Amino acid sequence: MTMKVALVGNPNSGKTTLFNTLTGSKQYVGNWPGVTVEKKEGQFKSNNREATIVDLPGVYSLSPYSLEEVIARDYIINEKPDVIINIVDASNLERNLYLTTQVLELGVPTVIALNMMDVVARRGDRIDMAALQKSLGCPVVAISAVKEHGVDKLIDMALLSAKKPLPRTFSSNTELVLSGVLDAVKDEPWLGCYEPRWLSVKLFEGDEDLLKRIQLSDAIKRKIDGIVKAMEAANDDDAQSIITNERYDCVAALLGQAYIKKERPKLTASDKIDKVLTNRWLALPIFFFIMWGVYFVSIQTVGGWTIGWVEELIGWVSGGVGTLLTSWGASDWVLSLVIDGIFGGVGAVLVFVPQLMILYLFISILEDCGYMSRVAFIMDRIFRRFGLSGKSFIPMLIGTGCSVPAVMASRTIENESDRKMTIMLTPFIPCGAKLPLFAMFVGLVFKDASWVGPSMYLVGILMVILSGLILKRTKLFKGNTTPFVMELPEYKMPRPKGLLLHIWEKGKSFVIKAGTIIFLASAVLWVLQSFSLSFEYLTPEQIDQSILAGIGHILAPLFAPLGFGNWMSAVASLTGIVAKEIVVSTFAIVSANTVVTFTAVTAYAFMMFTLLAAPCMAAIGAIRREMGSWKWTFIAIGYQTGLAYVMAMLVNTAGGFLFPNAKAIQLGSDAATAGEGALASVSLLDNPMIYILGAVLLAVAVTSLVSLIKRSGNKPLPGSATKL
Ligand code: GDP
């Protein structure tokens, strides 16, 4: 049987890097049962040695407070891996060894991988491996996961000679008390199921999770309670703190013995960089400049061009397939299904892939070099105010281009509740695909009024803020008040190999997941709009007899309170679920043969609805993937659509009251061209909206920052102060 090796370590300790080095391409990525935390498993194979490597979530401790901690701890206790590799960031020993003191208690053979030894060496520091090994009571191997130094030795050690560790964490007095606690349960039938040492510590701490698993009689409870109370009284502290303090004492002693520091100037290079990048006044302008650069390259220029290239490529392929099908004598409907339905629908999504990958490349670079942690740190205090984390800022920014990468960018948010909220609210920021619709109405109904377009951005931002404030007070997002531990790692050069792996993973899953959903949806939509209820194949002009129109008729009354209760608008809203660009083309097709009218009020209500309601299929696919559950996907879509409905109704009601004589304007068959014409004049490159969005965010940020600085006296923005 192959051995099972679990990787345990702090976030950022290099677990992923080591995991990738060990398993190469033989990885399986899924989720831990029932939760959205990623589970990675992979096979290690070399020189007749073989093992299954499981990457546990990065954690700071094994007390079951956060989801990640519960997963890591449950896995070790329930699944009993053969070996644990505890990966420790040697450049940050104090924080990392705290976890180690807990890992060693689990009774599983453990090898410590002292990672980032290159950083330690660069600093000129040294670590006395023998002393460390002796004090920890288990093998310690120095490695550099990035440089792949020491990894062979580590895996040899893990697979061939790992033994149950003999930890010496606690003082002799505490040891005595712990054995007293263990003695109290010595006759219990479940005793053999747990590692005695771990059991005694957890019983002493009164670990709720454990107490739920084992049923203690009242007599035993009283006995343990007596021991704990006596110890608490003697130390004038509670049981958990006693244990925590002794763990820190132990780590401090270890460091004193084993870590030999080089004399050095006070400021490291990272500190110096942080002096500029997280400077009280420069932080935001620098950040905006960098993000503007990223946005400029990946959305507006290079990334934008790739859309054209891929469109051309897809057009070329679909043209070829069309010719081929025709030469095989395929019927009209097969041709239309394949070309208009499948190629049209799937192509509309695939065109985003290169852009997405370019964007991810930049985001990954910023993440890997350590800058993103600073951004989240700078933005956190501002976003906190309306219930979002600083890390929510980045997805929202990306959302001005496309909600799909935006939703996916929410991955970097560790706090589950913040992440879900961000996923839910990001689609409110108008994406590029909603612009043609706005442009169409601005041109046809609003006589090119310049306030209309930007107002959509403002509404989007306001809805994010408002929703943040409201949702934080609901049951769904309440209670999750894990303190925000901000960690500013040292700046590092990103590694090309890691970057490529990142974007490859993202691109691949995008193509597969969004592609399958879109594929199905496109085919279904094509059928609905191409066939009548009696299943006759229709020409595009006969769309009003289609099944889709039938559905539109049924849905239309629903939209009546919003001011656009006709089947065409209902259908246009519905097709918007496939892709928002399609809304305009739907109007173009249906208004060619039917009369569709809008007043300024109903048009604005329609825009409001499109802005806020459920995003397109691709984005819903991304939401489903990132949420990891259908339930949450429906909650998100439900909230978005519900809010859209209420807001559109408000616009229609208030507008009807304020402008009772608003003129009805008929959309012509040139709706689409008018839209495109208007769109061209607000093309993204010189689109004032982008700058307005930036200005609004900057204003929010600056005012909040100023008030923060005022409140915190003259303290500078703590850059290095927060280093853990
Ligand atoms: P995880 O959060 O524990 O999975 O950590 P990662 O594997 O993502 O590593 C965090 C950062 O540390 C990445 O930027 C890695 O490139 C970097 N890193 C990992 N191992 C080493 C190492 O041995 N030396 C150096 N200098 N950097 C490393």
Side-chain angles (χ1 to χ4, degrees):
M1 228 186 61
T2 51
M3 285 177 86
K4 214 188 274 175
V5 180
L7 295 186
V8 183
N10 282 188
N12 270 319
S13 55
K15 255 172 356 81
T16 310
T17 314
L18 179 63
F19 179 76
N20 289 339
T21 306
L22 289 176
T23 60
S25 56
K26 291 180 275 308
Q27 299 184 357
Y28 166 77
V29 182
N31 277 355
W32 293 93
V35 293
T36 58
V37 180
E38 207 167 67
K39 176 179 185 176
K40 282 198 196 154
E41 237 179 64
Q43 291 300 324
F44 167 80
K45 247 190 200 148
S46 149
N47 302 341
N48 310 327
R49 280 176 289 132
E50 213 175 301
T52 303
I53 316 274
V54 181
D55 190 16
L56 295 181
V59 291
Y60 293 108
S61 90
L62 290 176
S63 34
Y65 295 130
S66 75
L67 186 59
E68 284 76 10
E69 287 166 350
V70 173
I71 291 170
R73 168 168 145 161
D74 282 358
Y75 180 83
I76 299 169
I77 292 170
N78 299 337
E79 309 279 323
K80 300 204 170 55
D82 300 297
V83 184
I84 291 176
I85 294 182
N86 175 206
I87 177 157
V88 161
D89 175 356
S91 67
N92 223 328
L93 268 186
E94 186 163 7
R95 175 163 51 80
N96 280 251
L97 285 179
Y98 180 74
L99 176 67
T100 304
T101 63
Q102 298 186 327
V103 171
L104 295 179
E105 270 154 24
L106 296 164
V108 179
T110 301
V111 176
I112 312 269
L114 266 194
N115 190 31
M116 316 248 184
M117 283 305 279
D118 54 320
V119 179
V120 174
R122 209 171 334 121
R123 285 182 188 169
D125 295 350
R126 276 192 313 116
I127 294 178
D128 183 343
M129 304 292 286
L132 201 58
Q133 199 150 297
K134 191 159 159 248
S135 310
L136 288 171
C138 75
V140 180
V141 183
I143 69 165
S144 166
V146 155
K147 305 201 160 147
E148 304 190 6
H149 289 169
V151 177
D152 281 339
K153 187 173 168 204
L154 173 70
I155 197 78
D156 274 345
M157 206 64 135
L159 298 185
L160 304 175
S161 51
K163 289 195 198 61
K164 202 169 126 174
L166 290 169
R168 265 161 272 164
T169 311
F170 304 113
S171 65
S172 48
N173 191 19
T174 307
E175 291 286 358
L176 220 58
V177 172
L178 289 177
S179 45
V181 171
L182 198 60
D183 196 50
V185 294
K186 67 175 187 303
D187 298 326
E188 295 297 302
W190 41 258
L191 190 67
C193 302
Y194 300 98
E195 169 64 20
R197 184 166 186 87
W198 180 79
L199 188 66
S200 62
V201 175
K202 292 297 137 186
L203 284 173
F204 179 73
E205 286 184 318
D207 186 279
E208 279 174 20
D209 182 62
L210 174 71
L211 292 177
K212 257 186 258 157
R213 292 177 188 224
I214 55 174
Q215 294 298 327
L216 289 181
S217 69
D218 284 345
I220 296 183
K221 266 190 207 152
R222 265 198 305 278
K223 195 165 173 194
I224 295 179
D225 216 36
I227 301 176
V228 173
K229 287 264 159 57
M231 182 72 170
E232 288 184 331
N235 282 271
D236 194 20
D237 209 345
D238 64 278
Q240 280 189 14
S241 307
I242 295 173
I243 295 292
T244 306
N245 288 340
E246 292 210 6
R247 288 192 199 283
Y248 275 120
D249 290 347
C250 164
V251 171
L254 272 174
L255 283 180
Q257 290 163 9
Y259 199 90
I260 303 132
K261 261 193 177 165
K262 182 191 159 198
E263 287 292 314
R264 70 166 79 91
K266 268 206 186 115
L267 288 182
T268 63
S270 275
D271 290 334
K272 282 184 199 152
I273 299 175
D274 269 340
K275 280 213 150 193
V276 180
L277 292 191
T278 62
N279 174 284
R280 198 199 298 183
W281 304 114
L282 293 179
L284 278 175
I286 291 178
F287 165 68
F288 277 105
F289 182 75
I290 292 178
M291 281 329 283
W292 176 82
V294 168
Y295 196 82
F296 184 78
V297 175
S298 55
I299 306 277
Q300 296 185 356
T301 54
V302 183
W305 303 334
T306 62
I307 293 188
W309 300 337
V310 183
E311 257 170 5
E312 217 162 277
L313 181 72
I314 291 173
W316 187 75
V317 175
S318 86
V321 171
T323 318
L324 204 66
L325 285 176
T326 317
S327 75
W328 287 346
S331 60
D332 273 357
W333 75 264
V334 172
L335 214 59
S336 169
L337 169 65
V338 174
I339 305 299
D340 304 334
I342 311 276
F343 270 99
V346 175
V349 177
L350 284 186
V351 293
F352 290 116
V353 173
Q355 183 181 46
L356 189 84
M357 288 170 97
I358 294 176
L359 193 71
Y360 266 116
L361 175 67
F362 281 111
I363 302 280
S364 299
I365 291 177
L366 291 178
E367 237 165 50
D368 273 12
C369 76
Y371 183 64
M372 276 308 181
S373 322
R374 271 82 183 171
V375 171
F377 168 72
I378 297 163
M379 288 298 168
D380 188 60
R381 296 162 155 219
I382 298 159
F383 267 54
R384 262 300 127 205
R385 301 176 154 211
F386 42 90
L388 286 165
S389 118
K391 294 191 171 178
S392 312
F393 185 81
I394 293 143
M396 307 242 161
L397 201 78
I398 297 173
T400 55
C402 173
S403 299
V404 174
V407 166
M408 292 174 83
S410 66
R411 258 199 205 175
T412 51
I413 305 171
E414 289 102 8
N415 182 305
E416 209 191 338
S417 148
D418 285 353
R419 190 175 59 237
K420 288 190 163 141
M421 178 110 87
T422 308
I423 295 172
M424 205 152 139
L425 303 185
T426 298
F428 288 165
I429 304 294
C431 69
K434 289 175 186 168
L435 294 185
L437 176 79
F438 301 159
M440 177 188 88
F441 278 127
V442 170
L444 291 176
V445 183
F446 292 96
K447 301 202 185 74
D448 292 326
S450 60
W451 60 270
V452 182
S455 74
M456 285 289 118
Y457 283 85
L458 258 179
V459 171
I461 296 166
L462 284 178
M463 287 301 124
V464 169
I465 295 179
L466 203 79
S467 302
L469 290 173
I470 296 171
L471 290 177
K472 263 282 143 141
R473 285 173 178 69
T474 63
K475 239 197 183 153
L476 283 174
F477 294 95
K478 218 175 173 172
N480 202 334
T481 50
T482 40
F484 190 77
V485 184
M486 202 68 193
E487 182 190 341
L488 298 186
E490 293 212 4
Y491 287 100
K492 294 187 180 106
M493 267 318 264
R495 275 175 322 133
K497 198 172 149 195
L499 291 178
L500 287 179
L501 213 76
H502 266 292
I503 56 172
W504 165 242
E505 251 176 35
K506 300 249 155 91
K508 192 176 67 179
S509 65
F510 180 81
V511 171
I512 294 171
K513 295 272 175 174
T516 43
I517 290 175
I518 286 286
F519 184 88
L520 263 178
S522 309
V524 169
L525 201 87
W526 178 86
V527 169
L528 293 183
Q529 71 179 21
S530 306
F531 286 92
S532 69
L533 279 169
S534 52
F535 231 71
E536 273 169 274
Y537 180 56
L538 305 168
T539 60
E541 291 74 31
Q542 292 171 304
I543 191 168
D544 59 336
Q545 297 161 33
S546 66
I547 307 175
L548 195 65
I551 297 171
H553 279 297
I554 298 170
L555 290 180
L558 261 180
F559 292 103
L562 314 187
F564 45 90
N566 51 62
W567 76 263
M568 299 75 101
S569 306
V571 161
S573 292
L574 206 63
T575 53
I577 294 182
V578 174
K580 297 293 165 191
E581 296 95 332
I582 299 181
V583 178
V584 171
S585 46
T586 309
F587 272 128
I589 295 172
V590 295
S591 62
N593 301 292
T594 40
V595 177
V596 192
T597 59
F598 277 95
T599 66
V601 172
T602 56
Y604 203 76
F606 190 89
M607 287 162 70
M608 184 72 93
F609 187 80
T610 310
L611 170 72
L612 301 174
C616 67
M617 265 307 175
I620 293 177
I623 291 177
R624 160 71 184 89
R625 167 138 177 81
E626 296 308 314
M627 287 284 196
S629 91
W630 278 114
K631 180 185 142 205
W632 273 96
T633 311
F634 285 123
I635 291 178
I637 298 173
Y639 177 76
Q640 291 156 352
T641 313
L643 185 71
Y645 195 86
V646 172
M647 290 305 294
M649 189 154 68
L650 269 177
V651 168
N652 185 44
T653 315
F657 185 69
L658 292 172
F659 310 102
N661 300 320
K663 205 166 84 196
I665 291 165
Q666 187 182 337
L667 300 190
S669 59
D670 57 345
T673 26
E676 272 163 25
L679 182 68
S681 65
V682 290
S683 91
L684 273 176
L685 196 52
D686 42 25
N687 179 1
M689 298 174 194
I690 298 301
Y691 304 103
I692 289 168
L693 172 70
V696 170
L697 289 176
L698 191 68
V700 174
V702 169
T703 42
S704 312
L705 200 71
V706 168
S707 73
L708 269 173
I709 292 168
K710 271 193 196 145
R711 224 189 308 157
S712 60
N714 278 331
K715 259 188 272 163
L717 250 182
S720 48
T722 51
K723 277 212 179 100
L724 290 175

